[in-house]
Amino acid sequence: MKKKITALVMAAAMCLSFAACGNGGDDTAKDTYTVGICQLVQHDALDAATKGFRDALTEEFGDKVEFVEQNANNDIPTCGTICNGFVSDGVDLILANATPALQAAVSATQSIPILGTAVTEYGVALDIENFNGTVGGNVSGTSDLAPLDQQAAMITELLPDAKTVGILYCSAEANSIYQCDVVKAALEDKGITVKVYSFSDSNDVATVTATACDECDALYIPTDNTAASCAEAINNVALPKKTPIITGEEGICSGCGIATLSIDYYQLGVTTGKMAAKILKGESDISTMPIEYYANPVKKYNPDICQELGITVPSDYVAIG
């Protein structure tokens, strides 16, 4: 599938006709716009990104923009069905919320503009070698990547006695694998033993979490959509075992973590919506728009779980309210 996605992206990038990318390619703005939103699964982070996107476009166009919003309920083939439906309906732009949604959208169309959001690394997601920050063709968007080396440093800062750290993620999410590899290397550079634990879907989250807690002093969970939707189940296992968890984003941290280096997913969605407005109005060419990142992520902590585990955080951490 990755090779097919790469071929489609490269073909799109080579076609100059795609510069217009569904905005009509002329000087006449449309009276109304239809935007399809494909969201992988319902959880706080992705919900916030979708809301920010909608709010930004509504502020720009008012009732001249219509949203067709569909949720795949964490079923990757459903993302393909949704995006193919958007193409058949001739929407003006597609928002792909999360990596599998982006991959499905890219497979579905080479002409309708596609903006991703809550996608960690576009080069990994689309199997682009030597990714330079601009996808090209009909694809751009925003990334939810927070500095992974800083996340790894939080583990040693908050849990200096941790000798073995487990990384827990869903094997179906390419960007989770990428984050796992980077954090693993960073922790090993600090002399920490790292064990990797993956689950294929929500059905085996609890079992895999239990094994990881039994074998490790602490866990790290990246920005993983399946983990986010199963945060309560993870907490039900980890908290009784007194296993602290550092997470890649605030939503997971709220459910099962002690701390995170957090971005604001609502503002990430707003940024994506502003990109969409420029594309729809013909002010920007999506083929030349670089991926945008959230600036200045914030150290946050979960006061309830920290209190339960007896963990004191430094003063530069902000409590998750």
Side-chain angles (χ1 to χ4, degrees):
M1 177 179 174
K2 285 186 175 181
K3 291 182 178 179
K4 180 180 178 182
I5 291 171
T6 304
L8 290 173
V9 173
M10 296 304 295
M14 294 174 62
C15 296
L16 295 176
S17 61
F18 294 157
C21 289
N23 62 22
D26 55 29
D27 297 329
T28 304
K30 295 179 63 173
D31 292 331
T32 60
Y33 302 95
T34 301
V35 175
I37 300 175
C38 177
Q39 182 172 318
L40 174 64
V41 65
Q42 183 176 5
H43 64 70
D44 290 346
L46 299 191
D47 291 349
T50 291
K51 186 177 188 303
F53 176 80
R54 290 179 59 124
D55 287 353
L57 274 181
T58 300
E59 181 177 352
E60 180 67 38
F61 295 113
D63 59 5
K64 292 183 179 180
V65 59
E66 175 188 1
F67 299 100
V68 181
E69 185 174 341
Q70 296 194 41
N71 192 299
N73 296 313
N74 211 26
D75 183 69
I76 293 176
T78 300
C79 289
T81 301
I82 291 170
C83 291
N84 286 326
F86 289 158
V87 175
S88 297
D89 293 340
V91 300
D92 297 295
L93 183 141
I94 296 173
L95 174 71
N97 192 343
T99 298
L102 176 69
Q103 292 170 333
V106 169
S107 293
T109 179
Q110 299 174 48
S111 55
I112 296 173
I114 299 166
L115 287 176
T117 193
V119 175
T120 304
E121 172 56 54
Y122 283 74
V124 172
L126 300 178
D127 197 22
I128 303 173
E129 293 185 6
N130 302 316
F131 180 60
N132 64 4
T134 301
V135 176
N138 63 321
V139 181
S140 189
T142 56
S143 168
D144 62 356
L145 180 65
L148 295 172
D149 58 337
Q150 294 180 34
Q151 292 183 30
M154 292 174 70
I155 297 174
T156 54
E157 178 181 41
L158 297 177
L159 307 167
D161 295 329
K163 304 301 181 185
T164 302
V165 174
I167 301 180
L168 185 69
Y169 70 96
C170 179
S171 58
E173 299 195 30
N175 274 313
S176 294
I177 299 170
Y178 165 78
Q179 294 172 82
C180 169
D181 291 343
V182 174
V183 172
K184 181 176 184 290
L187 290 173
E188 289 176 340
D189 284 345
K190 298 176 183 294
I192 294 174
T193 299
V194 179
K195 296 185 176 182
V196 176
Y197 303 86
S198 63
F199 47 86
S200 57
D201 54 39
S202 59
N203 294 321
D204 57 347
V205 167
T207 301
V208 175
T209 301
T211 300
C213 291
D214 289 342
E215 297 178 352
C216 301
D217 302 315
L219 301 183
Y220 170 77
I221 301 176
T223 54
D224 183 287
N225 293 293
T226 305
S229 63
C230 297
E232 182 178 354
I234 293 171
N235 190 57
N236 289 340
V237 175
L239 192 58
K241 291 178 178 290
K242 304 296 184 182
T243 304
I245 301 174
I246 301 292
T247 72
E249 58 96 358
E250 183 175 338
I252 304 176
C253 190
S254 296
C256 65
I258 62 166
T260 184
L261 186 64
S262 179
I263 72 165
D264 187 324
Y265 277 84
Y266 177 82
Q267 291 300 327
L268 193 73
V270 169
T271 298
T272 317
K274 290 179 178 178
M275 294 172 72
K278 292 178 180 179
I279 293 164
L280 293 173
K281 291 163 66 177
E283 295 176 354
S284 294
D285 177 354
I286 192 171
S287 69
T288 63
M289 296 176 78
I291 302 303
E292 297 197 24
Y293 295 81
Y294 184 82
N296 302 317
V298 178
K299 289 182 176 180
K300 292 192 174 184
Y301 73 100
N302 184 326
D304 293 335
I305 295 181
C306 283
Q307 182 177 5
E308 180 78 15
L309 298 181
I311 294 173
T312 301
V313 300
S315 59
D316 60 336
Y317 282 68
V318 177
I320 296 174

